[in-house]
Amino acid sequence: MYLDNRTRTSELSCTLDMLRAITTTRVPDELFSTLVRAVIESSGACRACLLLVEDGALRIVAQGKTEDQRVDVRTNLQGPSCSGLPESIVTAVQLGHVQVVLADAAEAGSFSNDPYLRKQGVRSVACLPMIGQGDLLGLVYLEHDLQAGVFTEERVMLLNALVAQAAISLENVRYCEHLAKENDRLNAVQSELVFQRNLLRTLAETFPHRIYAKDTQTRFIFGNMAVAQGMGVASPDELLGKTDFGFYPAACATRYYREEQAIMQSGQPLMHHEEEVNYLLTNDVAWMLTTKVPLRDDEGKVIGIVGVNYNITERKRTEMELVSRNAELLELNARLSQAQAQLVQSEKLASIGQLAAGVAHEINNPIGFIFSNFTALDGYVEKLLAMLAAYKEAEHFIDSKATTDKLKVLSERVDLPFLKDDIPVLMAETKDGITRVRKIVQALTDFSRIGGKLEWQFADLHQGIDATLNIISSEIKYKADVIREYGQIPEVECLPSEINQVIMNLLVNAAHALGEERGRITIRTRAEHETVSIEISDTGCGIEKENLSRIFDPFYTTKPVGKGTGLGLSLSYGIVQKHDGTLEVESKVGKGTTFRLALPIKRRRLQLE
């Protein structure tokens, strides 16, 4: 009896030492190792495992075995699963938060069919839940594979005490770890705040921009040296607690106050606002690019504004210089475009003139002697036909019947009556063809005025229109019927080739406006006071109203890409202005377009002379 009490006292002392060790341990792996060693030594188990809940699943964090009366414990296990344990027992404890104690696992029972128990031949089993504040933290599994009834009621009570203390210690360890991490985080945040504060102070003081902050009453709560200098004070401290009314005129301060109140009430920033301001210390005028944004607390409530003023005086000066130079470049570009257009026109007129000169030179002479020879031939044919008629009348005076029969056969063979009727027709048609060729050559000559220099002269506009129509006949005849409504007009002093160029451009544009369907082009002329007007109307698609003001601009065209250069109307407008005339346009979409050209009968420059 005395030995039993001494044994109990010794076991109690060992148990207290184990509880004290578990209670004082603050390192997780040491706690796991101490707990596993304690439950093995206090229960007589051959093997013990500590499982903890991590991310909703159980994981073995420590396990121990008894070998040669020595307990060997291992922690820091690399991903061990629960496959080496009786799954049915572990699941029952995990779900029910109840302990499972088997005196003899070999006997029939709820867990006797567990594959692990049957395979390993385990006899005694104990599995205890580790509960902390109502939640399952993990569980402790113990087994003895040789002896039944190892885990007595007394030992189970002791194990529960060890596990409960281990749960408290585990929560304390985790709480301490959390506190340590939080402390590290707070230290890092504090260091970051100190760094940011120093960085902001350095930036605010070294940047040449005005940087400031105001409260909800628009009182300064911060300002850098640039703000102080701009507002005429020696130090930013002299700004604190004051408003713009203490520095600026009332009208200016009122504008700033209303502007900043609107920003704070709406929560919408003022971004990149350009304004002209005065430096109060030097009274210099400067341009500022101002940005003001709401200042908010941690809860997002607006507690003021933050403003930045960036001096853009040099940029504005550069911009104004660029605007001025750009205007000069635009004017120069317009002059170059005009010069280029005139050059294109001159080259086109020169090409047409050269072509017409070549055609006239090559064709006029042959046509001349052909026409002359043909006139003579026409006379010869008439004489021959007269002679044949005389022979015909003399046939009955021939006495020889053989000769008469021979002439009759020959007459029938050559079909003399047909020849007598057809030869005059052929001669007339050929003469008409030669006349038309001469007219075409004359039209080319009239269009380009190859016979003289490019100089002002009085010209018949009707002749120029007809010559132009002959030149572009192939462009128009398949698309439109041309109606000439000519009035009585005098000759006009002009550069005929250039006026012909204008008429050609207007006629070609009219033909193009007709599209695929055949239409009508009407040309009207009339004299009005000291001017002569030419109207060219078409029944084409018309021009959109928004495009009418641009059709005379260089390089502007409504034709598809590759179908027009946009120079025709621009060149025409320039030529008309050169002649002190006007060129106007009226158009209705789907109805057609009318261009109205008005030219003075005499040059106004000469009238002034």
Side-chain angles (χ1 to χ4, degrees), residues 58 114 141 145 172 228 245-246 259 298 319 347 469 517 606:
L58 287 171
D114 188 283
Y141 171 80
D145 54 355
N172 289 339
F245 289 94
E259 180 181 273
D298 292 340
E319 286 179 357
E347 290 179 351
L469 285 171
E517 296 184 4
L606 293 178

Side-chain angles (χ1 to χ4, degrees), residues 174-295:
R174 289 178 172 175
Y175 184 67
C176 289
E177 286 182 338
H178 173 72
L179 289 179
K181 291 180 180 179
E182 188 67 18
N183 186 59
D184 291 341
R185 188 185 67 82
L186 291 176
N187 288 336
V189 170
Q190 184 178 7
S191 299
E192 181 66 19
L193 290 175
V194 172
F195 169 75
Q196 291 182 1
R197 181 185 63 189
N198 294 334
L199 176 62
L200 291 175
R201 183 187 295 115
T202 301
L203 292 175
E205 293 302 330
T206 57
F207 268 31
H209 316 321
R210 298 183 181 185
I211 303 174
Y212 53 90
K214 298 179 181 180
D215 62 13
T216 54
Q217 300 302 316
T218 70
R219 293 175 297 211
F220 283 95
I221 56 177
F222 172 79
N224 65 350
M225 195 62 194
V227 176
Q229 292 175 350
M231 302 187 74
V233 296
S235 169
D237 293 338
E238 298 182 44
L239 299 173
L240 303 181
K242 299 178 182 178
T243 67
D244 289 325
F245 289 94
F247 303 95
Y248 291 105
C252 182
T254 300
R255 179 167 63 86
Y256 287 154
Y257 176 81
R258 290 175 178 173
E259 180 181 273
E260 291 163 1
Q261 286 294 327
I263 292 172
M264 288 185 285
Q265 291 173 8
S266 66
Q268 299 298 318
L270 175 69
M271 303 297 293
H272 310 308
H273 173 66
E274 295 184 1
E275 58 180 343
E276 197 172 15
V277 300
N278 291 329
Y279 278 97
L280 299 181
L281 189 62
T282 61
N283 204 32
D284 293 334
V285 177
W287 277 93
M288 289 289 178
L289 185 66
T290 300
T291 296
K292 296 180 181 180
V293 298
L295 176 63

Side-chain angles (χ1 to χ4, degrees), residues 334 337-338 341 550-557 565-571:
S337 297
Q338 185 177 5
R550 303 179 58 195
I551 61 173
F552 296 119
D553 293 346
F555 308 109
Y556 178 78
T557 179
T565 63
L567 285 174
L569 291 178
S570 175
L571 290 173

